[in-house]
Amino acid sequence: MRSFSYDALPMRVRFGAGSVSALAGEVARLGLRRVLVLCSPEQTGTGELIAETLGELSAGVHAEARMHVPVEVARRARERAVELGADGCVAVGGGSAVGLGKAIALEHGLPVVAVPTTYAGSEMTPVWGLTEDGRKRTGRDPRVLPAAVVYDPELTVGLPVGVTVTSGLNAIAHAVEALYAPDASPIISLMAQEGIRALTGALPTLVDHSTDLDARTEALYGAWLCGACLGATTMSLHHKLCHALGGTLDLPHAPTHAVVLPHALAYNQHAAPQAAAAIGRAIDSADPARGLWDLAGRLGAPRALVDLGMAEADIDRIAEQVVANPYANPAPVTADGVAALLRAAWAGEPPG
Ligand code: NAD
Protein backbone atom coordinates (compact mmCIF):
# COMPACT_ATOMS: atom_id res chain seq x y z
CA MET A 1 0.00 0.00 0.00
CA ARG A 2 1.24 3.51 -0.83
CA SER A 3 1.75 6.02 1.99
CA PHE A 4 -1.10 8.50 2.28
CA SER A 5 -2.53 11.25 4.41
CA TYR A 6 -6.18 11.63 5.32
CA ASP A 7 -7.95 14.57 7.01
CA ALA A 8 -11.25 13.69 8.66
CA LEU A 9 -13.49 16.75 8.23
CA PRO A 10 -15.14 17.99 11.43
CA MET A 11 -18.88 17.69 10.98
CA ARG A 12 -21.80 15.83 12.42
CA VAL A 13 -24.25 13.84 10.28
CA ARG A 14 -27.82 12.79 11.12
CA PHE A 15 -29.13 10.35 8.56
CA GLY A 16 -32.46 8.61 8.03
CA ALA A 17 -36.10 8.96 7.10
CA GLY A 18 -37.78 11.48 9.38
CA SER A 19 -34.49 12.87 10.71
CA VAL A 20 -35.56 16.42 9.86
CA SER A 21 -37.58 16.22 13.09
CA ALA A 22 -34.20 16.31 14.88
CA LEU A 23 -33.16 19.54 13.11
CA ALA A 24 -34.08 21.91 15.94
CA GLY A 25 -32.06 19.76 18.34
CA GLU A 26 -29.07 19.84 15.98
CA VAL A 27 -29.29 23.64 15.69
CA ALA A 28 -29.54 24.03 19.48
CA ARG A 29 -26.65 21.60 19.96
CA LEU A 30 -24.44 24.07 18.06
CA GLY A 31 -25.54 26.84 20.45
CA LEU A 32 -27.47 28.66 17.71
CA ARG A 33 -30.61 30.63 18.64
CA ARG A 34 -31.70 32.47 15.46
CA VAL A 35 -31.00 30.79 12.16
CA LEU A 36 -31.88 32.07 8.72
CA VAL A 37 -33.42 29.38 6.51
CA LEU A 38 -32.04 29.47 2.95
CA CYS A 39 -33.61 27.78 -0.09
CA SER A 40 -34.26 28.25 -3.82
CA PRO A 41 -37.45 30.12 -4.85
CA GLU A 42 -38.88 26.80 -6.16
CA GLN A 43 -38.53 25.30 -2.68
CA THR A 44 -40.12 28.14 -0.71
CA GLY A 45 -42.70 25.69 0.66
CA THR A 46 -40.00 23.36 1.97
CA GLY A 47 -38.13 26.34 3.46
CA GLU A 48 -41.28 27.44 5.29
CA LEU A 49 -41.87 23.92 6.61
CA ILE A 50 -38.30 23.85 7.92
CA ALA A 51 -38.81 27.25 9.58
CA GLU A 52 -41.97 25.89 11.21
CA THR A 53 -40.05 22.85 12.47
CA LEU A 54 -37.45 25.19 13.95
CA GLY A 55 -40.06 27.32 15.73
CA GLU A 56 -38.42 30.10 17.77
CA LEU A 57 -34.99 29.13 16.44
CA SER A 58 -35.96 30.44 12.99
CA ALA A 59 -35.15 34.05 12.12
CA GLY A 60 -36.96 33.79 8.77
CA VAL A 61 -36.83 32.26 5.31
CA HIS A 62 -34.70 33.69 2.50
CA ALA A 63 -35.79 31.92 -0.71
CA GLU A 64 -33.35 33.45 -3.20
CA ALA A 65 -30.70 30.75 -3.74
CA ARG A 66 -29.57 30.46 -7.36
CA MET A 67 -27.22 28.17 -9.26
CA HIS A 68 -23.52 29.12 -8.98
CA VAL A 69 -24.20 31.81 -6.32
CA PRO A 70 -24.18 35.15 -8.21
CA VAL A 71 -22.41 37.79 -6.07
CA GLU A 72 -25.52 39.99 -5.84
CA VAL A 73 -27.52 37.02 -4.52
CA ALA A 74 -24.80 36.43 -1.90
CA ARG A 75 -24.78 40.13 -0.96
CA ARG A 76 -28.55 40.25 -0.42
CA ALA A 77 -28.48 37.09 1.69
CA ARG A 78 -25.63 38.46 3.85
CA GLU A 79 -27.56 41.72 4.35
CA ARG A 80 -30.70 39.79 5.29
CA ALA A 81 -28.75 37.67 7.79
CA VAL A 82 -27.35 40.84 9.43
CA GLU A 83 -30.75 42.63 9.41
CA LEU A 84 -32.42 39.68 11.13
CA GLY A 85 -29.59 39.20 13.62
CA ALA A 86 -29.05 35.60 12.50
CA ASP A 87 -26.32 33.63 14.26
CA GLY A 88 -26.32 30.76 11.74
CA CYS A 89 -28.04 29.44 8.64
CA VAL A 90 -29.99 26.32 7.76
CA ALA A 91 -29.59 25.65 4.03
CA VAL A 92 -32.30 23.35 2.67
CA GLY A 93 -32.13 22.24 -0.94
CA GLY A 94 -29.47 21.37 -3.47
CA GLY A 95 -26.00 22.74 -4.09
CA SER A 96 -27.43 26.20 -4.76
CA ALA A 97 -28.94 26.61 -1.27
CA VAL A 98 -25.89 25.12 0.43
CA GLY A 99 -23.68 27.37 -1.71
CA LEU A 100 -25.57 30.43 -0.49
CA GLY A 101 -25.02 29.35 3.12
CA LYS A 102 -21.33 28.99 2.36
CA ALA A 103 -21.22 32.50 0.86
CA ILE A 104 -22.60 33.93 4.11
CA ALA A 105 -20.20 31.80 6.19
CA LEU A 106 -17.25 32.96 4.12
CA GLU A 107 -17.86 36.62 4.95
CA HIS A 108 -19.57 36.54 8.35
CA GLY A 109 -18.42 33.19 9.76
CA LEU A 110 -22.00 32.08 10.56
CA PRO A 111 -22.17 28.27 10.92
CA VAL A 112 -24.20 26.40 8.32
CA VAL A 113 -26.48 23.45 8.99
CA ALA A 114 -27.23 21.73 5.68
CA VAL A 115 -30.38 19.78 4.83
CA PRO A 116 -29.61 18.42 1.36
CA THR A 117 -32.44 17.52 -1.00
CA THR A 118 -30.40 16.63 -4.12
CA TYR A 119 -27.31 14.45 -4.59
CA ALA A 120 -24.85 17.25 -5.50
CA GLY A 121 -22.69 16.79 -2.37
CA SER A 122 -21.74 20.40 -1.60
CA GLU A 123 -22.69 19.88 2.07
CA MET A 124 -19.66 17.61 2.50
CA THR A 125 -17.06 20.04 1.20
CA PRO A 126 -15.17 23.14 2.33
CA VAL A 127 -15.39 24.45 -1.24
CA TRP A 128 -17.24 27.71 -1.96
CA GLY A 129 -18.11 29.31 -5.31
CA LEU A 130 -19.21 32.82 -6.31
CA THR A 131 -20.08 34.06 -9.79
CA GLU A 132 -19.51 37.62 -11.03
CA ASP A 133 -19.76 38.89 -14.63
CA GLY A 134 -20.13 35.33 -15.88
CA ARG A 135 -16.95 34.12 -14.16
CA LYS A 136 -17.10 31.66 -11.29
CA ARG A 137 -14.44 31.86 -8.58
CA THR A 138 -14.04 28.92 -6.22
CA GLY A 139 -11.90 28.35 -3.17
CA ARG A 140 -11.48 26.19 -0.09
CA ASP A 141 -12.07 27.55 3.38
CA PRO A 142 -12.76 25.49 6.51
CA ARG A 143 -15.29 28.13 7.66
CA VAL A 144 -17.73 27.18 4.90
CA LEU A 145 -17.83 23.47 5.74
CA PRO A 146 -21.29 22.87 7.26
CA ALA A 147 -21.10 22.20 11.00
CA ALA A 148 -23.89 19.63 10.77
CA VAL A 149 -25.77 17.87 7.99
CA VAL A 150 -29.24 16.36 8.32
CA TYR A 151 -29.97 13.88 5.54
CA ASP A 152 -33.66 13.06 5.42
CA PRO A 153 -34.60 10.95 2.36
CA GLU A 154 -38.26 11.90 2.82
CA LEU A 155 -37.32 15.40 1.61
CA THR A 156 -36.00 13.92 -1.65
CA VAL A 157 -39.13 11.97 -2.57
CA GLY A 158 -40.43 14.88 -4.68
CA LEU A 159 -37.16 15.43 -6.57
CA PRO A 160 -38.18 15.17 -10.26
CA VAL A 161 -36.88 12.02 -11.97
CA GLY A 162 -34.73 13.98 -14.46
CA VAL A 163 -32.94 15.88 -11.67
CA THR A 164 -32.66 12.68 -9.62
CA VAL A 165 -30.81 10.96 -12.43
CA THR A 166 -28.47 13.79 -13.42
CA SER A 167 -27.78 14.75 -9.81
CA GLY A 168 -27.02 11.09 -9.01
CA LEU A 169 -24.58 10.88 -11.93
CA ASN A 170 -23.04 14.17 -10.74
CA ALA A 171 -22.41 12.48 -7.37
CA ILE A 172 -20.93 9.38 -9.02
CA ALA A 173 -18.49 11.67 -10.87
CA HIS A 174 -17.07 12.87 -7.51
CA ALA A 175 -16.38 9.28 -6.46
CA VAL A 176 -14.91 8.30 -9.84
CA GLU A 177 -12.37 11.12 -9.74
CA ALA A 178 -11.59 10.49 -6.05
CA LEU A 179 -10.46 6.98 -6.99
CA TYR A 180 -7.68 8.31 -9.24
CA ALA A 181 -7.02 11.59 -7.42
CA PRO A 182 -3.40 12.56 -6.68
CA ASP A 183 -4.38 12.64 -2.98
CA ALA A 184 -6.46 9.43 -3.03
CA SER A 185 -6.46 7.36 0.15
CA PRO A 186 -7.75 3.87 0.95
CA ILE A 187 -10.39 5.36 3.27
CA ILE A 188 -11.83 7.63 0.59
CA SER A 189 -11.56 4.85 -1.99
CA LEU A 190 -13.80 2.69 0.20
CA MET A 191 -16.35 5.51 0.41
CA ALA A 192 -16.10 6.05 -3.35
CA GLN A 193 -16.80 2.42 -4.26
CA GLU A 194 -19.65 2.16 -1.79
CA GLY A 195 -21.11 5.48 -2.97
CA ILE A 196 -21.02 4.39 -6.62
CA ARG A 197 -22.53 1.01 -5.73
CA ALA A 198 -25.35 2.55 -3.72
CA LEU A 199 -26.27 5.14 -6.36
CA THR A 200 -26.03 2.87 -9.39
CA GLY A 201 -28.23 0.40 -7.51
CA ALA A 202 -30.87 2.95 -6.50
CA LEU A 203 -31.18 5.15 -9.61
CA PRO A 204 -32.82 2.54 -11.91
CA THR A 205 -35.47 1.89 -9.24
CA LEU A 206 -36.10 5.64 -8.86
CA VAL A 207 -36.66 6.07 -12.61
CA ASP A 208 -39.65 3.71 -12.36
CA HIS A 209 -40.71 4.42 -8.76
CA SER A 210 -39.52 7.90 -7.84
CA THR A 211 -41.23 7.82 -4.44
CA ASP A 212 -39.71 4.49 -3.31
CA LEU A 213 -38.37 5.48 0.12
CA ASP A 214 -35.86 2.60 0.36
CA ALA A 215 -34.30 3.56 -2.98
CA ARG A 216 -34.38 7.26 -1.99
CA THR A 217 -32.59 6.34 1.24
CA GLU A 218 -29.95 4.30 -0.59
CA ALA A 219 -29.40 7.08 -3.15
CA LEU A 220 -28.99 9.76 -0.48
CA TYR A 221 -26.57 7.52 1.43
CA GLY A 222 -24.57 7.10 -1.80
CA ALA A 223 -24.66 10.85 -2.40
CA TRP A 224 -23.31 11.49 1.09
CA LEU A 225 -20.36 9.17 0.48
CA CYS A 226 -19.68 10.65 -2.97
CA GLY A 227 -19.84 14.18 -1.52
CA ALA A 228 -17.34 13.16 1.14
CA CYS A 229 -15.03 12.02 -1.69
CA LEU A 230 -15.35 15.43 -3.32
CA GLY A 231 -14.52 17.17 -0.04
CA ALA A 232 -11.45 15.04 0.63
CA THR A 233 -9.63 14.86 -2.71
CA THR A 234 -8.47 16.92 -5.67
CA MET A 235 -10.64 16.56 -8.74
CA SER A 236 -9.23 15.96 -12.25
CA LEU A 237 -10.12 16.30 -15.94
CA HIS A 238 -13.83 15.52 -15.59
CA HIS A 239 -14.46 18.33 -13.09
CA LYS A 240 -12.21 20.71 -15.04
CA LEU A 241 -14.26 20.07 -18.19
CA CYS A 242 -17.57 20.57 -16.39
CA HIS A 243 -16.28 23.73 -14.73
CA ALA A 244 -15.28 25.16 -18.14
CA LEU A 245 -18.54 24.10 -19.82
CA GLY A 246 -20.67 25.48 -16.98
CA GLY A 247 -18.66 28.65 -16.40
CA THR A 248 -18.03 29.66 -20.02
CA LEU A 249 -21.12 28.35 -21.81
CA ASP A 250 -23.56 28.33 -18.88
CA LEU A 251 -24.49 24.71 -19.50
CA PRO A 252 -26.63 23.21 -16.69
CA HIS A 253 -24.50 21.77 -13.87
CA ALA A 254 -25.76 18.23 -13.22
CA PRO A 255 -26.74 17.32 -16.83
CA THR A 256 -23.27 18.42 -17.98
CA HIS A 257 -21.67 16.08 -15.44
CA ALA A 258 -23.96 13.29 -16.62
CA VAL A 259 -22.90 13.69 -20.26
CA VAL A 260 -19.16 14.16 -19.68
CA LEU A 261 -18.52 11.44 -17.07
CA PRO A 262 -18.26 8.33 -19.32
CA HIS A 263 -15.98 10.22 -21.71
CA ALA A 264 -13.67 11.55 -18.99
CA LEU A 265 -13.44 8.06 -17.51
CA ALA A 266 -12.66 6.54 -20.93
CA TYR A 267 -9.88 9.13 -21.27
CA ASN A 268 -8.38 8.14 -17.92
CA GLN A 269 -9.21 4.51 -17.24
CA HIS A 270 -6.15 2.99 -18.95
CA ALA A 271 -3.85 5.34 -17.02
CA ALA A 272 -5.58 4.48 -13.72
CA PRO A 273 -6.15 0.70 -13.84
CA GLN A 274 -6.74 0.25 -10.10
CA ALA A 275 -9.38 2.98 -10.06
CA ALA A 276 -10.98 1.52 -13.19
CA ALA A 277 -11.09 -1.92 -11.59
CA ALA A 278 -12.72 -0.50 -8.45
CA ILE A 279 -15.37 1.35 -10.50
CA GLY A 280 -15.90 -1.78 -12.59
CA ARG A 281 -16.54 -3.80 -9.41
CA ALA A 282 -18.95 -1.17 -8.09
CA ILE A 283 -21.03 -1.09 -11.29
CA ASP A 284 -20.40 -4.69 -12.33
CA SER A 285 -18.80 -3.88 -15.69
CA ALA A 286 -15.50 -4.87 -17.31
CA ASP A 287 -15.40 -1.53 -19.16
CA PRO A 288 -16.56 1.03 -16.60
CA ALA A 289 -16.65 3.98 -19.02
CA ARG A 290 -18.93 2.05 -21.36
CA GLY A 291 -20.85 0.73 -18.34
CA LEU A 292 -21.60 4.28 -17.15
CA TRP A 293 -22.60 5.35 -20.67
CA ASP A 294 -24.99 2.40 -20.92
CA LEU A 295 -26.35 3.19 -17.47
CA ALA A 296 -26.97 6.83 -18.48
CA GLY A 297 -28.91 5.51 -21.51
CA ARG A 298 -31.02 3.17 -19.37
CA LEU A 299 -31.77 6.01 -16.95
CA GLY A 300 -32.83 8.35 -19.77
CA ALA A 301 -30.07 10.83 -18.88
CA PRO A 302 -28.82 13.28 -21.50
CA ARG A 303 -25.81 11.84 -23.38
CA ALA A 304 -24.96 14.64 -25.82
CA LEU A 305 -23.71 18.16 -25.09
CA VAL A 306 -25.49 19.37 -28.24
CA ASP A 307 -28.76 18.48 -26.49
CA LEU A 308 -27.75 20.79 -23.61
CA GLY A 309 -27.34 23.70 -26.03
CA MET A 310 -23.61 23.59 -26.75
CA ALA A 311 -22.57 24.80 -30.22
CA GLU A 312 -20.06 22.66 -32.14
CA ALA A 313 -17.93 25.77 -32.67
CA ASP A 314 -17.30 25.91 -28.91
CA ILE A 315 -15.49 22.54 -28.77
CA ASP A 316 -12.05 23.96 -29.58
CA ARG A 317 -12.52 26.99 -27.31
CA ILE A 318 -13.33 24.78 -24.31
CA ALA A 319 -10.51 22.33 -25.15
CA GLU A 320 -8.01 25.21 -25.25
CA GLN A 321 -9.25 26.48 -21.89
CA VAL A 322 -8.92 23.06 -20.28
CA VAL A 323 -5.45 22.41 -21.68
CA ALA A 324 -4.15 25.89 -20.81
CA ASN A 325 -4.70 25.33 -17.11
CA PRO A 326 -5.28 21.61 -16.50
CA TYR A 327 -5.99 19.94 -13.16
CA ALA A 328 -3.78 17.01 -12.10
CA ASN A 329 -4.87 13.99 -14.16
CA PRO A 330 -3.80 10.35 -14.57
CA ALA A 331 -3.59 10.54 -18.40
CA PRO A 332 -1.70 13.44 -20.02
CA VAL A 333 -4.10 16.27 -20.91
CA THR A 334 -3.48 17.07 -24.60
CA ALA A 335 -5.27 19.49 -26.93
CA ASP A 336 -6.08 16.73 -29.44
CA GLY A 337 -7.18 14.30 -26.75
CA VAL A 338 -9.51 16.77 -25.03
CA ALA A 339 -10.96 18.00 -28.33
CA ALA A 340 -11.69 14.39 -29.37
CA LEU A 341 -13.30 13.71 -25.99
CA LEU A 342 -15.46 16.81 -26.30
CA ARG A 343 -16.42 16.01 -29.87
CA ALA A 344 -17.69 12.55 -28.85
CA ALA A 345 -19.51 13.99 -25.82
CA TRP A 346 -20.99 16.76 -27.97
CA ALA A 347 -22.34 14.34 -30.56
CA GLY A 348 -23.54 11.75 -28.03
CA GLU A 349 -21.21 9.00 -29.33
CA PRO A 350 -20.15 6.12 -27.08
CA PRO A 351 -17.00 6.89 -25.05
CA GLY A 352 -13.89 5.63 -26.34
P1 NAD B 1 -29.84 23.14 -7.33
O1 NAD B 1 -29.49 23.28 -5.91
O2 NAD B 1 -29.79 24.39 -8.16
O3 NAD B 1 -31.25 22.45 -7.43
C1 NAD B 1 -31.85 22.27 -8.72
C2 NAD B 1 -33.34 22.57 -8.67
O4 NAD B 1 -33.99 21.49 -7.99
C3 NAD B 1 -33.69 23.84 -7.88
O5 NAD B 1 -34.73 24.50 -8.55
C4 NAD B 1 -34.17 23.29 -6.54
O6 NAD B 1 -35.07 24.17 -5.91
C5 NAD B 1 -34.82 22.00 -6.97
N1 NAD B 1 -34.86 20.98 -5.92
C6 NAD B 1 -33.86 20.63 -5.09
N2 NAD B 1 -34.24 19.64 -4.29
C7 NAD B 1 -35.53 19.35 -4.61
C8 NAD B 1 -36.48 18.39 -4.14
N3 NAD B 1 -36.14 17.49 -3.21
N4 NAD B 1 -37.70 18.38 -4.69
C9 NAD B 1 -38.02 19.23 -5.68
N5 NAD B 1 -37.16 20.16 -6.18
C10 NAD B 1 -35.94 20.20 -5.65
O7 NAD B 1 -28.90 22.07 -8.09
P2 NAD B 1 -27.77 21.06 -7.57
O8 NAD B 1 -27.41 20.25 -8.75
O9 NAD B 1 -28.16 20.39 -6.31
O10 NAD B 1 -26.56 22.02 -7.19
C11 NAD B 1 -25.82 22.66 -8.21
C12 NAD B 1 -25.01 23.80 -7.64
O11 NAD B 1 -24.22 23.32 -6.55
C13 NAD B 1 -24.03 24.36 -8.64
O12 NAD B 1 -23.96 25.76 -8.47
C14 NAD B 1 -22.72 23.69 -8.27
O13 NAD B 1 -21.60 24.41 -8.69
C15 NAD B 1 -22.85 23.60 -6.79
N6 NAD B 1 -22.04 22.53 -6.16
C16 NAD B 1 -21.05 22.91 -5.31
C17 NAD B 1 -20.29 21.95 -4.69
C18 NAD B 1 -19.22 22.37 -3.73
O14 NAD B 1 -18.55 21.53 -3.16
N7 NAD B 1 -19.03 23.64 -3.50
C19 NAD B 1 -20.52 20.59 -4.93
C20 NAD B 1 -21.55 20.23 -5.80
C21 NAD B 1 -22.31 21.21 -6.42
Side-chain angles (χ1 to χ4, degrees):
M1 185 184 293
R2 281 195 302 136
S3 304
F4 64 90
S5 57
Y6 167 68
D7 287 344
L9 295 177
M11 65 158 56
R12 177 177 158 85
V13 171
R14 285 287 288 247
F15 186 94
S19 56
V20 78
S21 63
L23 180 63
E26 292 300 322
V27 166
R29 196 171 180 276
L30 292 167
L32 304 175
R33 291 160 172 271
R34 256 181 94 68
V35 288
L36 180 59
V37 177
L38 305 168
C39 59
S40 297
E42 301 83 2
Q43 284 182 290
T44 305
T46 309
E48 282 166 357
L49 268 177
I50 293 285
E52 215 171 280
T53 306
L54 288 168
E56 288 182 351
L57 293 172
S58 167
V61 177
H62 187 73
E64 292 188 19
R66 286 222 348 246
M67 191 81 89
H68 304 311
V69 198
V71 283
E72 59 279 10
V73 170
R75 184 181 44 75
R76 273 200 306 277
R78 288 168 181 150
E79 284 171 3
R80 186 92 195 279
V82 170
E83 258 165 47
L84 293 171
D87 57 4
C89 295
V90 168
V92 57
S96 299
V98 176
L100 188 55
K102 288 176 166 183
I104 298 173
L106 188 65
E107 190 136 309
H108 296 307
L110 300 190
V112 178
V113 176
V115 186
T117 65
T118 71
Y119 307 135
S122 178
E123 68 283 356
M124 280 289 133
T125 84
V127 178
W128 55 266
L130 283 168
T131 303
E132 185 164 24
D133 298 330
R135 290 186 69 88
K136 185 166 178 179
R137 287 182 293 128
T138 59
R140 275 181 183 259
D141 192 311
R143 279 180 310 173
V144 310
L145 182 77
V149 181
V150 176
Y151 284 108
D152 188 337
E154 286 179 1
L155 295 178
T156 65
V157 161
L159 191 63
V161 170
V163 189
T164 298
V165 165
T166 54
S167 185
L169 292 168
N170 180 190
I172 291 171
H174 307 329
V176 164
E177 294 230 291
L179 282 160
Y180 53 62
D183 43 6
S185 76
I187 314 299
I188 292 300
S189 295
L190 280 174
M191 291 187 183
Q193 288 177 75
E194 174 69 352
I196 296 170
R197 186 207 57 75
L199 272 161
T200 52
L203 291 177
T205 306
L206 290 173
V207 168
D208 295 329
H209 308 284
S210 70
T211 58
D212 182 315
L213 191 58
D214 286 342
R216 283 288 178 196
T217 303
E218 190 74 359
L220 196 59
Y221 163 69
W224 164 17
L225 297 176
C226 293
C229 294
L230 177 69
T233 57
T234 309
M235 295 287 110
S236 299
L237 178 64
H238 169 80
H239 281 75
K240 178 73 189 185
L241 281 162
C242 293
H243 195 99
L245 290 163
T248 307
L249 306 180
D250 205 25
L251 298 193
H253 177 82
T256 303
H257 274 268
V259 175
V260 173
L261 179 61
H263 297 277
L265 180 56
Y267 193 95
N268 279 330
Q269 64 186 4
H270 299 295
Q274 280 190 337
I279 300 160
R281 281 193 300 277
I283 66 169
D284 196 16
S285 168
D287 176 350
R290 180 68 196 219
L292 284 176
W293 193 77
D294 290 342
L295 175 70
R298 282 201 302 281
L299 296 174
R303 288 202 292 192
L305 292 173
V306 62
D307 294 342
L308 304 183
M310 181 181 179
E312 189 171 10
D314 284 323
I315 291 177
D316 289 337
R317 180 154 76 113
I318 296 296
E320 275 163 31
Q321 222 185 82
V322 167
V323 174
N325 183 14
Y327 292 1
N329 196 60
V333 177
T334 64
D336 286 352
V338 172
L341 181 167
L342 279 170
R343 207 160 291 120
W346 180 82
E349 289 163 6

